Amino acid sequence: MKWYKKMRNEKKRYKDYLKAKEEFPKEYGQALTALDHYMMNFVGSGDFMGIFEDLLQLFADGAAEGRSISELVGNDPVKFADEIMAEYPEVLWYSKTRKKLKNEFERIEDK
């Protein structure tokens, strides 16, 4: 039953995120959607909503300050997204896969 509550909570958080995103100026929403699509390719499990909620706050602050998308993200949106995701290695599938590979080599070397 615990997994079900967690899943419902994650779904609610995601719906709240989507609703909040709709309240932004069009360009901000489009940029967040583009970042979502990119980042969803790398999340494995865990609290990936933390990534999106942090992005939402960053964009909310930027909108309140009248900053442009390029001022928030910089000239390279891929680099920006990768740097954000690097702060959440525990939810990224490739981090888990890298760790597994390292562990396998350690196991081989210990024989």
Side-chain angles (χ1 to χ4, degrees):
M1 193 63 145
K2 189 176 182 179
W3 65 269
Y4 180 72
K5 286 182 180 181
K6 183 176 180 178
M7 181 182 68
R8 285 186 61 195
N9 183 45
E10 290 294 312
K11 188 174 182 178
K12 182 186 179 320
R13 287 172 69 190
Y14 188 67
K15 285 184 177 183
D16 290 346
Y17 166 75
L18 292 176
K19 187 176 178 180
K21 198 166 63 165
E22 290 175 7
E23 297 177 19
F24 284 122
K26 184 178 179 180
E27 305 81 35
Y28 282 72
Q30 290 172 331
L32 280 168
T33 297
L35 288 166
D36 292 354
H37 290 167
Y38 176 76
M39 292 178 169
M40 281 295 217
N41 289 299
F42 303 102
V43 294
S45 62
D47 186 19
F48 69 89
M49 281 307 303
I51 297 173
F52 295 149
E53 289 164 344
D54 285 352
L55 278 174
L56 191 69
Q57 187 60 54
L58 176 73
F59 274 66
D61 293 344
E65 296 168 4
R67 297 174 69 193
S68 69
I69 299 297
S70 61
E71 286 179 285
L72 295 173
V73 176
N75 295 329
D76 187 350
V78 173
K79 181 180 177 185
F80 171 79
D82 289 346
E83 287 173 354
I84 295 286
M85 289 188 299
E87 296 177 24
Y88 298 87
E90 68 280 356
V91 300
L92 304 175
W93 64 263
Y94 64 79
S95 295
K96 293 175 183 177
T97 304
R98 287 176 179 163
K99 184 177 180 180
K100 184 177 177 181
L101 179 61
K102 287 179 183 180
N103 289 342
E104 282 293 314
F105 271 79
E106 288 173 6
R107 187 183 59 77
I108 292 166
E109 291 174 357
D110 288 341
K111 286 185 177 182

